[in-house]
Amino acid sequence: MLTFVALGDSTTAGVGDPMPDGTWRGWAALLAEGLGAPGDVAFHNLARSGALTGDVATEQLPAALARRPQVAALVVGVNDTLRGAFDGADVGRLLDRTVGALTGGGAVVLTACLPDPGRMFRLPGVLARPLGRRIAAVNAAVHRAALRHGALHLHIPELPGAYDAPMWSVDRLHPGERGHRLLAGAAYDTLVAAGMPGRRRPDADPGNPPPGRRARLRWLATRGTRWALARSTDLLPDLARLAVAEWRGAGTRDVRLEAYAEAGPRQPARGRPGVR
C-alpha cells in the first residue's frame, strides 16, 4: 500500500475541478489514481482553501508526518503573496522546514514553482511587477528547499500552455479541469522519471464541459465579489505603495525580495519542459 499525502492550499484541495456531487477533485487526486489501482494507494488530501505556508507548517505537516507517507506533494505560497503583510524570508524558512521534515521522514517529496498571479489577473504593469517579485521570492525559496533536501521539483510556469485561458477556471486564480490534468500529468512524469512506479498517466483531456456564461456570472456574484473586496483592503494598498515607490524612482524595488529571489539557484537540472 502506497501512502500519498498532499499539502497546500485551494489548488491542491482541487478548487476549479468540480465533481458531479459538488465536491472538488483536483490534480493531486488525479495523480493518486495514476500511481496505483484502487486499493493500492492510500491518498490523504490535507490541503485547504486559503492556507498560507505557516498553516501548512503548523497544521498540515504534523498530520502528514503521522501518516508516514512514501510520497508527499507540497504546493503553497500564492496566498502569501496576495496578503499585505508578506515576508519572503519567513515564507522561505517555513517552506524549508516543511520540505525538510517530509524528506526526513522518508517521503519522496514533490514541490513546485508557481505561476505569476499578476499575469493571470492581467494587472497593469505597475501593480504586476511588485506581485511578480513576491512570487519570484516564493519560487526561489521552494526551489532552494527542494535542492537542499533532495526533493523533486516541478516548474508550473514552464509547462506547455500553463498561462492559456482554457487551463484556468473562471476566477483566473485556480486551474480548471484541464489545468488540474496538466499538473497531474506533469507530476506523474516527474515521479516516474525519478523511479516511482506508476500505473497510468492521468488523461490530459477533461471529462466535463468547461463552465458556461451562467457559471461565470454565478462565481462573480458570490465568491468573486467577496474575494475582490477582501484583497482591496489588504493586497491592493500594499501593491499601490510599492507602485508609487517605483514611479518616484526612490526605493524602486523591494530589495529584500529581489535579493532573496536572486540568491536562489538559477540553473536547475535539465529535464522535460517544466520538469526538473
Side-chain angles (χ1 to χ4, degrees), residues 27-192:
W27 72 271
L30 291 166
L31 173 60
E33 294 173 0
L35 292 178
D40 292 339
V41 178
F43 173 53
H44 305 278
N45 196 338
L46 306 176
R48 68 168 178 82
S49 295
L52 306 173
T53 53
D55 300 321
V56 171
T58 59
E59 300 170 11
Q60 298 178 27
L61 178 60
L65 294 175
R67 289 170 169 81
R68 300 183 182 275
Q70 286 84 48
V71 180
L74 172 66
V75 182
V76 70
V78 70
N79 287 323
D80 295 87
T81 69
L82 300 177
R83 299 297 188 273
F86 174 76
D87 186 332
D90 187 51
V91 168
R93 286 190 293 269
L94 291 165
L95 287 169
D96 186 81
R97 169 186 161 191
T98 302
V99 175
L102 291 168
T103 57
V108 174
V109 179
L110 176 68
T111 62
C113 283
L114 304 166
D116 184 349
R119 182 172 173 183
M120 293 306 309
F121 296 150
R122 299 175 183 172
L123 294 175
V126 70
L127 294 179
R129 283 190 294 272
L131 190 56
R133 286 195 292 275
R134 291 181 172 195
I135 207 69
V138 172
N139 286 343
V142 70
H143 197 175
R144 186 181 298 110
L147 287 180
R148 178 179 177 183
H149 298 289
L152 303 177
H153 193 64
L154 176 65
H155 289 251
I156 295 175
E158 295 181 11
L159 295 176
Y163 285 102
D164 292 353
M167 295 293 179
W168 296 88
S169 64
V170 62
D171 62 8
R172 301 290 296 177
L173 180 62
H174 301 99
E177 182 185 353
R178 189 178 293 275
H180 277 283
R181 289 185 174 277
L182 176 70
L183 295 182
Y188 179 90
D189 292 341
T190 304
L191 290 170
V192 169

